[in-house]
Amino acid sequence: LCFSAQEGILYFYHIKDLQYEMKICIEILQPISSLIFSPDYTVLLLVTDQGTVYTYKPVHSDEAVKLLDTCSSCFLAADFLTPGNKYCVSVTLSGEVQVWFLEDGTCLSKINLDIEVHV
């Protein structure tokens, strides 16, 4: 079980039978608005209230890597494009939808919906 608190801390709870263990995985110092696991559960996308998107590989790393940062409009949401976990799609408050290569954060494609987006 993974969850975050308003302080920008990602917690991991390992639950087995009636026992549990809590571990602090990472601190990014920005409130986390959403967590999305890749289809194979190896990568976690973290979207902050400020619109920054981070990737976190729980098995391979103790820190999150900033993938996308706020440009003209805050990222409202992001998710993986399946199958696989090489690409993600994001949407900004201003209605811009973008496809990103997760390896280096390269924007591969974008389209503007010409509408304001809300959750």
Side-chain angles (χ1 to χ4, degrees), residues 4-11 26-32 48:
S4 68
Q6 286 298 318
E7 302 85 27
I9 301 171
L10 178 69
Y11 296 95
I26 55 171
E27 295 182 49
I28 59 172
L29 306 176
Q30 294 181 19
I32 299 168
T48 70

Side-chain angles (χ1 to χ4, degrees), residues 2 9-12 23-27 56 58 61-63:
C2 286
I9 301 171
L10 178 69
Y11 296 95
F12 172 76
K23 174 184 164 187
I24 295 176
C25 294
I26 55 171
E27 295 182 49
Y56 174 63
S61 178
D62 289 335
E63 63 183 65

Side-chain angles (χ1 to χ4, degrees), residues 53-72:
V53 178
Y54 291 85
T55 58
Y56 174 63
K57 297 180 180 179
V59 176
H60 303 292
S61 178
D62 289 335
E63 63 183 65
V65 176
K66 186 185 292 185
L67 177 67
L68 313 171
D69 207 349
T70 306
C71 42
S72 60

Side-chain angles (χ1 to χ4, degrees), residues 13-21:
Y13 272 89
H14 179 77
I15 302 169
K16 185 175 181 179
D17 298 323
L18 297 175
Q19 303 292 320
Y20 71 91
E21 175 187 356

